[in-house]
Amino acid sequence: MERKIEEQLLAWKNKTDDRLPLIVNGARQVGKTYILRKFGEEQFKNVVYINLETNLTIASYFNDNIAPERLLRYLEASTGERIIPEETLIIFDEIQSSERALTALKYFCEETPEYHIAAAGSLLGVAINRQHYSFPVGKVETLTLYPLDFEEYLGARSQKLLSEEIRRAYEKMEPLPDALHQKAIELYREYLLIGGMPACINAFLKSGSFLDVPLVQNEILDNYIADMAKYASNTDSVKIRACYNSIPAQLAKDNKKFQYKVVQKGGSAALFGASIEWLNLAGVVLKCQRINQAIEPIAVYTDLSAFKLYMGDVGLLTMKSGLSQQTVLSGEGNTFMGAVTENYVAQQLAAKGYDLYYWESSSTAELDFVLQKGNQIVGVEVKKGEHVRSRSLSVFVDSYKPAYSVRLSLKNFGEKDGLKSVPLYAAFCV
């Protein structure tokens, strides 16, 4: 599977004077290890791969002197691989398992910058926050890997030409031919079921059956729950699991703002706030903060007390909610499909690097997403079908006069009076 992050990895490799050790962060099973090993095999003469969670012998070596020259000699002896500057990629996987290995990156940066050092961490944010790991600020470069977005999914489905046509239609704001439009909608509905987790996509590609996908999705969710037990205390892991399990119910409400009372009667931020932070740091949820003012810079107008939580992968939400595959694939009218559609859009926007915000005006109007692109503020409205009548976007436009706004729906491309009509399958273009 081709991933967009490969371009960033190549840019990192080709840096000379200012290259830092690299950390690829992201939720478990989004493909960090696979993409680093693939990158190493394609771009370097050899790869030295160390999993610090399973290779306890090498992990223990970091407990002593972490001078880079000493570590490099030991890694050569342990792996039988010659480590040569500019020719070898060293990968430290599951780096959250070893605080000393994380600290060692600082010294690799300062003393041996000629070596290519890459690390991957699934729960690095959790380890830093909960176990008070010191992070080598300014001494590492970080990239975040998300599940495959819809454009990457099209590539995995051998539909790269279709994604190119979608991009061309977006740039010109001209409708796709109806046959291509319908084909893209069909693939979009597939994606709502399968999601962007590599293992789920592989299961579908291998068998061609949607029936195999929930088995893999359940396994991923079980691994998430295992992490909650492993990287949190017993009491905390129960709260974290309760918050995570409440997400489908939270999104099913008319007001999708996260409410602690849905998690537990009498629930509060004091009781569950740390659990939300754990989920966010682990990368298994996407947090969308409320803003009351859509003015640049929108981050300073964040209302920290109000937010929505989406699942990190739309396929996991569809499976966890119990929504039938037939309903998703047929496009039948279903109230919860609105929540699934919103979650899908949040996932596409996050993968593009946007911080997620939604706008609310005195509880009279609410806009699904507000983006800042340079100095422009863009309102994004999400509709699950072709019915697009809505008051909230009009209120937003009247209030802030944005350069343009976007309405995502199942309608074809078009533009009128500063409003771009964009099909949901083209959310990756926004």
Side-chain angles (χ1 to χ4, degrees), residues 290-292 359-367 395-396 399-400:
R290 184 172 73 187
I291 55 171
N292 298 318
W359 171 78
E360 191 173 73
S361 172
S362 308
S363 299
T364 59
E366 181 182 304
L367 191 60
V395 174
F396 179 84
S399 301
Y400 298 104

Side-chain angles (χ1 to χ4, degrees), residues 215-272:
L215 301 174
V216 182
Q217 290 169 330
N218 266 314
E219 188 179 328
I220 291 170
L221 290 174
D222 287 345
N223 288 334
Y224 284 174
I225 290 167
D227 282 339
M228 294 170 197
K230 182 176 180 180
Y231 290 91
S233 68
N234 288 340
T235 305
D236 287 342
S237 67
V238 171
K239 293 178 186 174
I240 294 165
R241 194 157 61 246
C243 288
Y244 189 64
N245 288 338
S246 79
I247 292 176
Q250 301 278 358
L251 295 176
K253 300 187 277 83
D254 287 337
N255 178 3
K256 295 179 177 63
K257 173 189 167 186
F258 191 91
Q259 295 178 347
Y260 295 102
K261 66 182 181 182
V262 175
V263 182
Q264 178 184 297
K265 189 176 180 181
S268 64
L271 194 60
F272 291 109

